[in-house]
Amino acid sequence: GHVFTGSGEPSSSQVRLLFADSGSIAASTISSPLDGSFSLTVAPGAYKLWFITDGMEQYAHQKLTFDAADVFNIAAGETVVVDETLLPGGVLAVTVTDSVTGEPIDEACVEATRFETFTHCGGENGVVRLTDLGTGEYRVTISPSDGLHHSIVLEAVHLEMTQTTEIAVELDPAAAITTSVIEGDTGIPAVATCVLVLPLRFGGLSQEDCTHRTDNDGNVLIGELQPGTYTLLVIPVFGTHGIQWV
């Protein structure tokens, strides 16, 4: 048979042949990314077909559960051709606003994690959309890309293929610090340098606690801070420079 996307393009999908009575796997393969074709050789019997594509699962023909799947009775010497068109994935639409002003936050990022992680940043009027999601429970993290709000995490957000799930969240305002780190002797950016932010009255954190490192241009953004007075401790990743306070 063949596996195609909704637009008719060939799809490289996991194809699993299941015994119709037990649901256990009889055979499996991966459809060709060139033309979507697949082939399985099995003993005579009753089977169902299960397709898995980028975390999305469905059964022939276009069914979302094993119980609803079509049964294919295969006789000795018979060839059964099954062509499957993939269903559209689920959509998660998150409306993100400021908890104080009520204004939309267009710089938000949404991360949905199940077996793998899907991420998208930015949207119009504070609406961030993730598409092509499979059915299941997701851990959803909403965070600001500019560091000016606090992140929140939602557990067990249920999504369904072919459906749009809409949720609305409010992020509390926060403060952020941006800085650049350069090598004192050469003036070039100090790449991957750890920058720790500490309250002025407090003194020590391990380098293992570092979650903020400079990029290839020596820049770093430290966000989601409570208002206050801070000092910065710079810890180079290489041994050619020493630790120093900013």
Side-chain angles (χ1 to χ4, degrees):
H2 297 80
V3 186
F4 301 104
T5 67
S7 61
E9 297 297 319
S11 172
S12 179
S13 304
Q14 296 183 48
V15 182
R16 298 180 180 178
L17 191 69
L18 309 177
F19 290 106
D21 55 353
S22 65
S24 58
I25 299 175
S28 65
T29 187
I30 297 177
S31 58
S32 168
L34 300 178
D35 60 4
S37 63
F38 67 91
S39 178
L40 296 164
T41 301
V42 293
Y47 299 94
K48 297 184 177 185
L49 275 171
W50 182 21
F51 301 91
I52 305 173
T53 311
D54 295 331
M56 295 182 289
E57 304 176 14
Q58 69 183 67
Y59 301 83
H61 284 293
Q62 295 192 315
K63 304 298 194 306
L64 292 177
T65 65
F66 174 81
D67 290 340
D70 296 336
V71 177
F72 301 95
N73 293 295
I74 304 176
E78 181 183 16
T79 297
V80 175
V81 178
V82 179
D83 291 335
E84 182 76 353
T85 298
L86 298 178
L87 293 165
V91 176
L92 175 62
V94 184
T95 300
V96 189
T97 57
D98 185 292
S99 65
V100 175
T101 66
E103 292 295 316
I105 302 173
D106 292 333
E107 301 82 11
C109 294
V110 175
E111 178 182 278
T113 301
R114 187 172 166 234
F115 301 126
E116 54 187 309
T117 297
F118 302 86
T119 304
H120 185 73
C121 295
E124 295 185 5
N125 298 318
V127 180
V128 184
R129 296 170 64 88
L130 290 178
T131 60
D132 298 327
L133 300 173
T135 297
E137 308 290 321
Y138 288 79
R139 186 176 192 264
V140 178
T141 302
I142 302 98
S143 58
S145 60
D146 59 4
L148 294 178
H149 292 83
H150 292 287
S151 299
I152 62 171
V153 177
L154 305 177
E155 301 289 352
V157 176
H158 184 76
L159 303 178
E160 291 278 352
M161 285 180 60
T162 76
Q163 298 181 19
T164 296
T165 300
E166 298 181 348
I167 58 177
V169 298
E170 296 181 342
L171 300 186
D172 294 330
I177 299 171
T178 60
T179 189
S180 299
V181 183
I182 62 174
E183 296 181 0
D185 51 350
T186 66
I188 65 174
V191 178
T193 298
C194 173
V195 180
L196 298 176
V197 57
L198 306 171
L200 192 59
R201 68 180 185 278
F202 180 69
L205 281 177
S206 165
Q207 185 173 355
E208 283 109 13
D209 297 320
C210 186
T211 57
H212 303 99
R213 293 187 180 275
T214 54
D215 58 20
N216 289 336
D217 296 320
N219 301 320
V220 63
L221 167 66
I222 305 169
E224 301 189 44
L225 301 173
Q226 295 289 354
T229 302
Y230 297 89
T231 187
L232 300 180
L233 179 63
V234 178
I235 305 176
V237 68
F238 305 111
T240 54
H241 298 86
I243 298 174
Q244 68 184 57
W245 296 95
V246 176

